[in-house]
Amino acid sequence: MALSILTLLTKVFIGSRMWEKYCTDNDDMEDDNLARKDYYHQPDAPKPNSLVPAVSAVVTDSDGRILLHKRSDNFLWSLPGGAMELGESVEQAVIREVKEETGFDVEVLRCTGIYSDPGHVIAFSDGEVRQQFSICFACRIVGGELSVSSESVQVRFFTREELERLDLHPAQRIRIQDFFAHRERAFIR
């Protein structure tokens, strides 16, 4: 398979050895989409070199269905969310990330959990290997309309039963299960 210029530049930037491992771990994906690889309690996971505060949101519609987007970087269904930006609060980050990734405006209702599992690391094609650190919030829609962003290939709502059949990363599934537990106190995992 021919390599694109972006792929070649990425290979040069992160080094041949890491690139070969990355391609081996992601051999079912197209070269242009090699942006991230999640490791979850895998012995071959690379050692983290960063920790970035991030947020995620369990957004429900009026029927209680959960909003997910199918990520363009790993093609897995995921809760909307991402890294905080300098100058914003956690609440602002959640609201911004949901809007950017789904088109919806939300109100933050409660914190469902804080997730910092050192066994969950994400390797990015630029060489960053991030340990998970995410705060997840329950949110409700207050405006906007469904739209797909450059970070997604699809956005839609799912019933609890449909979620069981989806290709979700285990860390995402834990956050959704924690939401359905309806605990007053946030989970700390």
Side-chain angles (χ1 to χ4, degrees):
M1 172 174 9
L3 295 177
S4 70
I5 291 172
L6 177 62
T7 302
L8 285 172
L9 289 172
T10 303
K11 180 180 176 182
V12 169
F13 181 74
I14 68 172
S16 291
R17 193 162 208 194
M18 187 173 180
W19 179 257
E20 288 168 11
K21 173 163 179 28
Y22 196 79
C23 288
T24 301
D25 291 341
N26 292 283
D27 57 6
D28 61 331
M29 292 181 166
E30 293 296 319
D31 286 326
D32 290 340
N33 295 321
L34 293 177
R36 80 182 258 162
K37 164 74 175 161
D38 285 69
Y39 293 85
Y40 193 70
H41 298 275
Q42 294 169 261
D44 63 336
K47 183 178 168 108
N49 57 30
S50 75
L51 183 71
V52 176
V55 295
S56 59
V58 180
V59 180
T60 55
D61 67 4
S62 58
D63 296 324
R65 297 177 303 166
I66 304 289
L67 179 66
L68 298 177
H69 72 116
K70 193 169 196 175
R71 299 181 60 97
S72 60
D73 60 3
N74 66 8
F75 299 100
L76 293 175
W77 288 99
S78 179
L79 296 168
M84 285 183 64
E85 294 179 357
L86 291 173
E88 72 182 350
S89 68
V90 170
E91 183 179 32
Q92 290 167 331
V94 173
I95 292 167
R96 175 186 51 78
E97 284 290 344
V98 173
K99 180 70 170 181
E100 286 177 4
E101 295 178 357
T102 71
F104 288 110
D105 300 309
V106 295
E107 174 187 17
V108 176
L109 302 175
R110 64 183 169 87
C111 178
T112 57
I114 301 169
Y115 304 91
S116 59
D117 182 350
H120 179 199
V121 297
I122 304 111
F124 293 92
S125 57
D126 66 358
E128 178 186 10
V129 181
R130 187 182 298 175
Q131 178 183 323
Q132 170 190 246
F133 180 80
S134 184
I135 305 170
C136 187
F137 296 88
C139 300
R140 73 178 183 91
I141 296 171
V142 295
E145 59 184 51
L146 189 134
S147 67
V148 177
S149 76
S150 63
E151 297 178 47
S152 310
V153 295
Q154 192 175 0
V155 178
R156 66 173 278 221
F157 290 94
F158 293 91
T159 65
R160 191 171 187 172
E161 293 74 30
E162 290 171 324
L163 289 169
E164 297 301 320
R165 296 185 299 275
L166 281 182
D167 190 13
L168 288 172
H169 187 277
Q172 296 290 309
R173 197 168 297 284
I174 288 168
R175 294 175 200 180
I176 293 168
Q177 289 169 346
D178 289 353
F179 168 80
F180 283 126
H182 300 290
R183 264 184 33 174
E184 187 174 314
R185 186 172 155 249
F187 286 87
I188 300 174
R189 298 186 188 269

